Amino acid sequence: DIQMTQSPSFLSASVGDRVTINCKASQNINKYLNWYQQKLGEAPKLLIYNTNNLQTGIPSRFSGSGSGTDYTLTISSLQPEDVATYFCLQHSSRWTFGGGTKLELK
Amino acid sequence: EVKLEESGGGLVQPGMSVKLSCATSGFTFSDYWMEWVRQAPGKGLEWVAEIRNKANNYATYYGKSVKGRFTISRDDSKSIVYLQVNSIRSEDTGIYYCTTGFDYWGQGVMVTVSS
C-alpha cells in the first residue's frame, strides 16, 4: 500500500504570506495527487487535481506542483478565508490520504 | 448545485449494526462511482469503500480494515448510496463522508460506538 506523509502538521502564517504544504508518497504516484481544503464543520473541497490542475472556482492563489514521490500545495498570498485543514490524496493505487495540515493565522 | 447529505449515524453499541445513507442531487448519480471515507477522532482520513456504476457492473471494493463487515450499495433510482456496517467496533467510531469519486463531498455523519 502507498503511504502518504504530509508536512507540516500545523502551520501558522500571516496574511499575505506564501505558504507551502508538502506530501511525500512512499512510491512514485505519477502525479495522481489531489489537494483538498476542509474548513471547520464543512465538507472537504477539492482544490487541485492531478498535481497542478486548479478545480473550477478555486482562486488562482492556490497552485500545485510535484512529480514522482514529492508534491507541494502553494498558497501564494494567504487570505483570512484560507484558514482550514488541508490534505492530500493519492489516487495512483487505490486511495491514501495525507495526515492533514492545520493552517491558522499568526 | 451538487449536494450530498449523509444520515443514519449516532450512538451504536459494539457488535451491533448501522446503515448509513447518502442522499445526493445536482448531478447524474448513475454515472458516478461513489465512495465512503471516514475519519476517526484526531486521525486522518481513511478510504472505506467504493461502488462503481452500472457500466462497471456495480463493482465494489473495500479497505482492508473493513472488508467482510461493511457493505456498500446504491439505488440509482433514488440517487442514494448506502453503507451497511455490521459487527461494529470501537475503532469504527468517527465521521463518515460520502463522496463522488473524491470530487464532491458531503458534510459527514458521526458514528459513535460505545456501550
Side-chain angles (χ1 to χ4, degrees), chain B residues 31-79:
Chain B
D31 288 347
Y32 280 76
W33 299 5
M34 297 297 297
E35 322 282 340
W36 284 95
V37 174
R38 69 181 180 182
Q39 186 170 33
K43 303 290 186 181
L45 292 156
E46 177 190 15
W47 169 74
V48 170
E50 172 183 89
I51 185 165
R52 298 188 177 182
N53 57 10
K54 184 177 181 180
N56 288 275
N57 298 314
Y58 299 119
T60 59
Y61 301 90
Y62 298 92
K64 289 179 181 177
S65 63
V66 308
K67 198 169 185 178
R69 297 190 300 120
F70 287 23
T71 302
I72 188 171
S73 60
R74 63 192 294 161
D75 185 335
D76 287 353
S77 68
K78 297 181 179 178
S79 298

Side-chain angles (χ1 to χ4, degrees), chain A residues 1 34 36 38 41-46 55 87 89 91 94-99, chain B residues 33 35 37 39 44-47 50 52 61 64 97 101-107:
Chain A
D1 293 2
N34 295 352
Y36 298 85
Q38 186 176 24
E42 296 185 8
K45 179 192 293 185
L46 176 63
Q55 178 72 339
F87 58 90
L89 166 69
H91 55 103
R94 282 287 177 255
W95 304 272
T96 317
F97 295 90
Chain B
W33 299 5
E35 322 282 340
V37 174
Q39 186 170 33
L45 292 156
E46 177 190 15
W47 169 74
E50 172 183 89
R52 298 188 177 182
Y61 301 90
K64 289 179 181 177
Y97 299 95
F102 305 103
D103 291 345
Y104 296 97
W105 297 60
Q107 289 196 309

Side-chain angles (χ1 to χ4, degrees), chain B residues 19-31:
Chain B
K19 189 171 186 176
L20 307 180
S21 301
C22 173
T24 74
S25 62
F27 64 102
T28 306
F29 178 82
S30 58
D31 288 347

